[in-house]
Amino acid sequence: MAEMARESDVSGGGVDIDRLEGEILGAIDGVSAMDALEQIRVAELGKKGRITALTKSLGALDPEARREAGQRYNVLKQAVAHAIATKKETLESVALDAQLLDETVDVTLPIRPEIMGRLHPVSQVTEELIAIFGEMGFRVAEGPDVEDDFNNFSALNIPPEHPARQMQDTFYLQAEKSNMPLVLRTHTSPVQIRTMMSGPPPYRIIAPGRTYRCDYDLTHTPMFHQVEGLLIDRRTHMGHLKGCLTDFVRTFFERDDIPVRFRPSYFPFTEPSAEMDIGCRRTADELIIGEGDDWLEILGCGMVHPNVLRAVGVDPEVWQGFAFGMGIDRIAMLKYGIPDLRTFFEGDLRWSGNYGFGAIDVPTTYGGLSR
Ligand code: PHE
């Protein structure tokens, strides 16, 4: 035993490497905190560490002894580095386990209503729209807020000189695509184009989302929300459009007897085009939907223009259908009696507390759409 220890004492400086290694590995083994481990690393392998110093002392040895000692020091260095790395991993995983245990959430605890967030009316109404149109077989489609000229305008039969392209309405971006500036989409209608370009007909989608126009007053904000609807099939006609939207408003406003009317209108991407009004009564400070002899416009719609179908490679002799577009914020204001659109986007918690919705009541047509 004594003989062996002496034999491995190759440093020539009276250092017993085996003992030293045992001592260091033992110390590493005994450590239970990251900072203590780091202290050992610095003390042994750091710039002024013990092992580093040993390596530096090699220069004083004669070549034969230097080679032998050098190899031994390297083995020592590697063993220590490896032990430190392994210990570090262990300590990290122990710390993670402790943290996970500490942060366990008991999902069976009852909800504390006083700290629960409220769903924004736009989110609520979007969910309601999805519930209603979902039941009619529409799926949700999406598109980006930044659009190109083709999707937002030209494929929708909106020619370059059309007023909708005017600077005062449209936010143009500096970035260009094929020499045309990109825009913040001015309506959700580009999702019609994206949908029809992404696969063959038939189509039956709604596309809720953000839209942008340069406008700001009681009923306009530069960012607002729309929902687009598109239905294309082999024998779709205006009667389907009227039935679908009539069903929609009656379900949405939760009154079976809401009077509706379709007024001729104009949109470049539909022919014929119409605006849909619902019956209402206006008093000095109230608007009652579904009764009275006044009318309120709630959406634009029409039969998809053959030029639009041609632009996306759909044969208008075979496929036809309808589209509609509606302001989500606007119908939210009407349904829930919220007077000023600008307040929607101010992020005031008192406002959300008042107009917001319980986050766990999912709207369904059978279980109730609201509250
Ligand atoms: N995109 C139109 C708008 O923003 C609405 C619309 C959509 C009209 C689809 C007809 C068909 O006003």
Side-chain angles (χ1 to χ4, degrees):
M1 206 41 213
E3 193 57 29
M4 278 177 66
R6 230 191 328 274
E7 249 173 37
S8 65
D9 177 11
V10 291
S11 74
V15 186
D16 181 339
I17 300 296
D18 283 345
R19 236 197 52 212
L20 181 61
E21 182 170 326
E23 184 194 312
I24 300 175
L25 295 184
I28 293 172
D29 195 42
V31 146
S32 60
M34 211 54 113
D35 51 353
L37 185 66
E38 177 61 11
Q39 271 172 24
I40 296 181
R41 192 193 63 77
V42 172
E44 307 298 348
L45 300 172
K47 259 199 196 121
K48 294 185 180 141
R50 245 196 310 186
I51 300 176
T52 317
L54 277 176
T55 317
K56 280 184 188 156
S57 72
L58 285 171
L61 301 179
D62 57 65
E64 177 64 11
R66 188 191 304 156
R67 202 170 52 80
E68 206 178 326
Q71 278 170 3
R72 184 64 188 94
Y73 293 168
N74 262 338
V75 171
L76 169 68
K77 203 163 142 184
Q78 274 164 21
V80 170
H82 181 255
I84 290 178
T86 312
K87 186 69 180 191
K88 195 170 167 211
E89 259 174 46
T90 313
L91 290 181
E92 275 168 356
S93 100
V94 168
L96 182 63
D97 285 349
Q99 190 188 0
L100 287 175
L101 212 62
D102 194 45
E103 292 176 0
T104 302
V105 176
D106 183 353
V107 292
T108 65
L109 285 175
I111 284 164
R112 285 164 55 196
E114 74 278 11
I115 60 161
M116 199 168 70
R118 309 286 290 168
L119 213 56
H120 195 284
V122 171
S123 305
Q124 167 73 20
V125 166
T126 303
E127 291 298 327
E128 295 178 21
L129 291 166
I130 293 171
I132 299 168
F133 284 108
E135 207 156 288
M136 297 184 197
F138 289 78
R139 69 174 179 84
V140 173
E142 285 178 313
D145 292 12
V146 174
E147 267 297 3
D148 60 25
D149 185 90
F150 179 78
N151 289 322
N152 197 80
F153 294 126
S154 61
L156 287 162
N157 201 31
I158 303 175
E161 65 284 0
H162 194 277
R165 293 192 176 211
Q166 298 272 297
M167 278 291 190
Q168 63 260 33
D169 291 328
T170 306
F171 288 109
Y172 285 93
L173 304 182
Q174 299 226 290
E176 302 200 340
K177 195 177 165 192
S178 21
N179 295 326
M180 294 296 261
L182 294 170
V183 299
L184 290 179
R185 65 178 179 190
T186 55
H187 49 183
T188 42
S189 302
V191 185
Q192 289 188 36
I193 303 304
R194 288 179 174 273
T195 301
M196 293 191 283
M197 304 261 290
S198 69
Y203 311 105
R204 197 181 285 210
I205 59 106
I206 58 165
R210 281 186 282 270
T211 46
Y212 304 83
R213 281 177 213 174
C214 193
D215 217 345
Y216 190 69
D217 60 31
L218 204 68
T219 52
H220 296 90
T221 49
M223 187 282 301
F224 58 106
H225 298 83
Q226 281 193 340
V227 62
E228 194 78 9
L230 174 73
L231 188 150
I232 303 285
D233 215 318
R234 286 175 191 276
R235 266 184 281 275
T236 316
H237 53 70
M238 196 89 183
H240 295 124
L241 163 88
K242 291 176 80 174
C244 171
L245 292 175
T246 304
D247 270 1
F248 162 71
V249 291
R250 292 187 176 155
T251 314
F252 179 75
F253 289 106
E254 296 170 83
R255 275 189 76 147
D256 286 341
D257 57 351
I258 299 183
V260 298
R261 76 174 182 191
F262 290 80
R263 255 182 311 106
S265 183
Y266 173 78
F267 299 102
F269 33 90
T270 46
E271 181 58 37
S273 302
E275 271 163 332
M276 183 185 189
D277 294 342
I278 55 176
C280 69
R281 184 156 55 87
R282 289 182 171 89
T283 69
D285 50 16
E286 228 188 346
L287 176 72
I288 299 148
I289 287 173
E291 55 192 61
D293 44 19
D294 223 344
W295 295 100
L296 185 72
E297 180 203 322
I298 69 151
L299 59 84
C301 57
M303 301 306 290
V304 175
H305 199 293
N307 286 350
V308 175
L309 296 172
R310 276 185 212 109
V312 296
V314 171
D315 182 356
E317 300 300 323
V318 182
W319 303 97
Q320 319 83 49
F322 63 82
F324 58 87
M326 178 164 49
I328 297 182
D329 323 84
R330 179 167 161 76
I331 60 170
M333 290 169 80
L334 293 173
K335 180 167 177 179
Y336 295 113
I338 312 173
D340 185 343
L341 177 62
R342 292 170 297 199
T343 59
F344 274 57
F345 310 117
E346 283 168 358
D348 186 334
L349 283 178
R350 292 164 303 178
W351 186 88
S352 328
N354 188 33
Y355 289 116
F357 291 81
I360 53 172
D361 307 324
V362 178
T364 58
T365 52
Y366 44 91
L369 278 177
S370 50
R371 309 272 178 202

